[in-house]
Amino acid sequence: MKAIYWLKPGLQIKRWVVLGVLGILLLAFSLSYFFEMIQLHGGLRFFIGLLGIFFIYHGFHRGLKSVAQDIATVNGSLNKKLLSKGPKVVVIGGGTGLSILLRGLKLYTANITVVVSVADDGGGSGKLREDLGMLPPGDIRNCILALAEMEPTMEQLLQYRFQEGSLKGQSFGNLFIASMNGISNNFEEAIKKISEVLAVTGEVYPVTLENIILYAALKNGKVVKGESNIPQKSVEENSAVDRVFIKPKEAEGLKEVVEAIYGADIIVLGPGSLYTSILPNLLVKNITEAIRRSNNKTVYISNIMTQPGETDGYSVMDHVNAILEHCPKLVIDYVIANDGEVFDGAYYKYQQEGASIVKITEKDREDLKNKGIKFIESNLVEIKKDYVRHDAVQLSKIIVDLANGMKRKK
């Protein structure tokens, strides 16, 4: 019985060691003078020797590989255990900036709750929203993929956009979410199922299950309907955004989102488009109230570059003031901003599009201090293919350090 257990499937290291030892014995047997005594044919002796070499190589090669895999599994288990003890972070926003941050944040903690805007009405998400009457999946898809554990090919598949036909411009990931939504009771349930399938670290939630529409009142008095139309109309009218609002204005935030806010160690706003990604979440009834009533610290991450039609010429303080004007009861405890430079081709590219770097002025520092907001400056620039992004690892480290500091004080 012991011998059977010793060779039991799953105990691969022992199996390969046995094979290697057998190979050594066969090789020694073929080289010994024993063959002279039993007078085996030289060819057979040669064959047994080759078989021994094969067993030695195959046994020890596979054995070492099994050891490496077991070590990796143990390390992975230990890493997951450590991550499970990380701080509870709630991140609120949308767009590319949010998904980039999540790729860094999951390296430090598994306790991540992502709250995503559902005001998007452009591109493939807008098409599905219009055709199927579902909430827009685009930003949620990007967040799920950022937190998922999967092979690169699988991620490429889910991000793939069709190039021709009626599906042109639509991503496979959006269709996957639409399909899951079709077989689920609601959008929230669909996202939970997809998160389970893709082994997502943390939780991803839409801020609300209601079909909200974002509006913007420009400073010239005109009102723009639809998230995707706001920047374009602002540029066309040569008039900045004065304020944004949602309809229905009584839309309520998801219960799970409110609970996550109350249970968090830190709440992060952004990064993302100020008027079309961050504020639509904060305008949902009971979200800002939950943040205000919680005992947690709130951090705002300023964008690195301004956005044409939304934040032209904005400084760090302009971003903060816009949030506080829309949500006067909200308390922001920390602001994190980039103090690094953007050089060469990347900066030229953004200038051509009408964007510029969000500058930090001495007045910003004074105004933030007067409001009781602590200011953290760091070089957060990362440039990939001439696109300016936040350095996800550096930014995540700052957030987690803040959260751990707050956690110890509780």
Side-chain angles (χ1 to χ4, degrees):
M1 291 297 291
K2 288 184 178 180
I4 293 174
Y5 175 79
W6 215 70
L7 296 173
K8 182 181 177 181
L11 302 176
Q12 295 183 14
I13 297 173
K14 295 177 181 178
R15 190 187 314 165
W16 301 125
V17 168
V18 169
L19 188 64
V21 171
L22 179 59
I24 292 173
L25 291 175
L26 287 175
L27 182 60
F29 192 63
S30 71
L31 296 176
S32 71
Y33 287 101
F34 183 72
F35 286 107
E36 299 297 333
M37 297 171 60
I38 60 176
Q39 298 182 347
L40 285 179
H41 191 274
L44 180 57
R45 185 196 309 184
F46 181 71
F47 171 75
I48 292 175
L50 283 180
L51 189 63
I53 292 172
F54 173 77
F55 281 2
I56 292 169
Y57 171 77
H58 194 63
F60 286 108
H61 172 72
R62 293 296 297 270
L64 289 172
K65 190 174 180 181
S66 295
V67 170
Q69 289 174 344
D70 286 348
I71 290 172
T73 300
V74 170
N75 287 339
S77 298
L78 290 173
N79 191 42
K80 285 182 179 180
K81 191 173 182 179
L82 289 172
L83 291 176
S84 68
K85 295 181 179 180
K88 297 176 182 177
V89 183
V90 172
V91 189
I92 301 175
T96 305
L98 178 58
S99 59
I100 289 173
L101 169 61
L102 296 178
R103 291 182 186 275
L105 204 55
K106 73 177 182 180
L107 301 176
Y108 294 92
T109 179
N111 301 311
I112 305 169
T113 300
V114 188
V115 183
V116 187
S117 169
V118 289
D120 187 8
D121 62 356
S125 290
K127 184 68 175 171
L128 289 175
R129 182 176 183 176
E130 180 182 344
D131 291 348
L132 303 180
M134 63 179 288
L135 294 176
D139 286 348
I140 289 176
R141 179 197 77 238
N142 288 331
C143 290
I144 287 175
L145 294 181
L147 292 175
E149 297 295 334
M150 67 177 73
E151 295 296 326
T153 302
M154 186 62 176
E155 182 171 358
Q156 289 173 3
L157 174 62
L158 291 169
Q159 292 286 36
Y160 174 76
R161 289 189 181 275
F162 294 89
Q163 305 300 315
E164 298 176 351
S166 59
L167 292 177
K168 184 177 181 179
Q170 190 61 265
S171 80
F172 179 78
N174 282 357
L175 298 178
F176 180 38
I177 294 175
S179 301
M180 190 66 82
N181 185 60
I183 63 172
S184 303
N185 293 319
N186 54 46
F187 191 71
E188 178 195 358
E189 182 183 309
I191 298 307
K192 283 184 178 179
K193 288 179 180 178
I194 290 172
S195 297
E196 290 173 3
V197 170
L198 299 179
V200 167
T201 299
E203 306 286 346
V204 179
Y205 293 110
V207 66
T208 180
L209 293 181
E210 297 189 46
N211 186 27
I212 63 171
I213 299 174
L214 183 66
Y215 293 80
L218 304 182
K219 292 197 173 181
N220 65 4
K222 293 190 176 182
V223 176
V224 182
K225 178 183 178 181
E227 179 264 350
S228 61
N229 297 322
I230 293 171
Q232 180 182 346
K233 287 294 182 182
S234 175
V235 172
E236 288 178 1
E237 294 288 335
N238 193 27
S239 180
V241 175
D242 184 43
R243 64 186 178 89
V244 291
F245 56 95
I246 60 171
K247 290 186 179 180
K249 65 179 182 179
E250 294 301 314
E252 287 202 4
L254 216 59
K255 180 185 71 173
E256 289 83 353
V257 170
V258 174
E259 290 174 353
I261 289 171
Y262 281 123
D265 293 308
I266 192 168
I267 299 163
V268 179
L269 307 179
S273 301
L274 177 63
Y275 290 108
T276 54
S277 289
I278 297 174
L279 281 170
N281 290 297
L282 299 178
L283 294 175
V284 172
K285 183 182 177 182
N286 70 2
I287 296 300
T288 296
E289 181 64 16
I291 296 173
R292 186 184 70 82
R293 293 178 62 184
S294 70
N295 293 321
N296 312 314
K297 298 297 182 181
T298 301
V299 177
Y300 169 65
I301 301 171
S302 176
N303 287 343
I304 295 176
M305 306 296 294
T306 62
Q307 293 182 277
E310 281 202 53
T311 55
D312 298 276
Y314 272 38
S315 67
V316 171
M317 196 63 211
D318 291 329
H319 285 77
V320 175
N321 282 334
I323 293 174
L324 296 178
E325 285 168 8
H326 282 80
C327 311
K329 293 182 179 180
L330 183 68
V331 176
I332 297 176
D333 300 286
Y334 290 85
V335 169
I336 301 173
N338 167 64
D339 62 5
E341 294 293 330
V342 179
F343 297 102
D344 305 326
Y347 194 62
Y348 176 76
K349 175 181 175 292
Y350 279 83
Q351 280 185 315
Q352 294 294 102
E353 296 171 356
S356 59
I357 196 164
V358 176
K359 295 180 179 178
I360 301 173
T361 66
E362 194 57 45
K363 188 175 185 305
D364 287 335
R365 297 184 180 94
E366 292 176 7
D367 289 346
L368 288 168
K369 185 177 181 180
N370 291 336
K371 288 183 179 291
I373 301 173
K374 296 179 181 178
F375 192 32
I376 299 173
E377 303 175 48
S378 182
N379 184 351
L380 300 173
V381 174
E382 184 173 53
I383 299 175
K384 292 184 177 179
K385 297 181 180 179
D386 283 344
Y387 284 97
V388 178
R389 302 287 187 243
H390 281 92
D391 184 329
V393 174
Q394 172 67 8
L395 183 56
S396 298
K397 189 176 184 304
I398 294 172
I399 293 168
V400 170
D401 284 347
L402 285 174
N404 283 332
M406 297 163 191
K407 205 172 176 182
R408 286 193 292 271
K409 293 177 183 177
K410 286 187 178 182

